[in-house]
Amino acid sequence: MSSVQPAARLARASALSLHFELLELRHKVELHTMTGRVVECPLDEVNRPRGNKHAKLRIPPLESEVRTLFTGWAQSLVDRRKHAPTARNHTAARLMADVGL
């Protein structure tokens, strides 16, 4: 039996999960390119200590929903007063969506 208190165990597991979430969201592509391995948190939902923190469930949008969003956004560029900043934002968001960021 572990001598670590449940609250401390939950705090450590949360910190580890948060660290891996950062790696997955910000550096997944670079780490895969450098190492050939995919970053993945060793604590999955089943093995995570129980506590009063709710598990976060991220459900990505469907490809058709993303396409609808960017199609509508691209069409709205026509009647914008300041075209350049809006086009820049659209291009940056489109690139992030295609790359997976």
Side-chain angles (χ1 to χ4, degrees):
M1 179 142 74
S2 176
S3 63
V4 179
Q5 296 295 323
R9 194 170 28 251
L10 179 62
R12 289 177 186 172
S14 295
L16 185 66
S17 294
L18 184 63
H19 176 72
F20 272 91
E21 187 175 342
L22 170 73
L23 290 177
E24 290 173 9
L25 292 174
R26 298 279 174 118
H27 305 290
K28 189 175 200 173
V29 175
E30 293 92 347
L31 290 172
H32 182 265
T33 303
M34 289 173 25
T35 65
R37 296 179 183 262
V38 177
V39 175
E40 186 176 18
C41 183
L43 295 174
D44 59 8
E45 293 301 319
V46 175
N47 294 319
R48 187 164 289 141
R50 302 289 181 244
N52 56 1
K53 292 200 174 193
H54 300 290
K56 291 184 281 183
L57 179 63
R58 290 181 10 207
I59 301 173
L62 300 173
E63 189 170 329
S64 61
E65 294 172 329
V66 173
R67 194 176 317 109
T68 301
L69 169 72
F70 283 105
T71 302
W73 196 359
Q75 290 172 353
S76 74
L77 289 175
V78 175
D79 57 357
R80 295 286 177 194
R81 190 172 69 84
K82 293 186 176 184
H83 179 76
T86 308
R88 177 202 61 215
N89 294 344
H90 175 268
T91 303
R94 182 75 248 180
L95 178 63
M96 287 185 280
D98 287 344
V99 172
L101 299 175

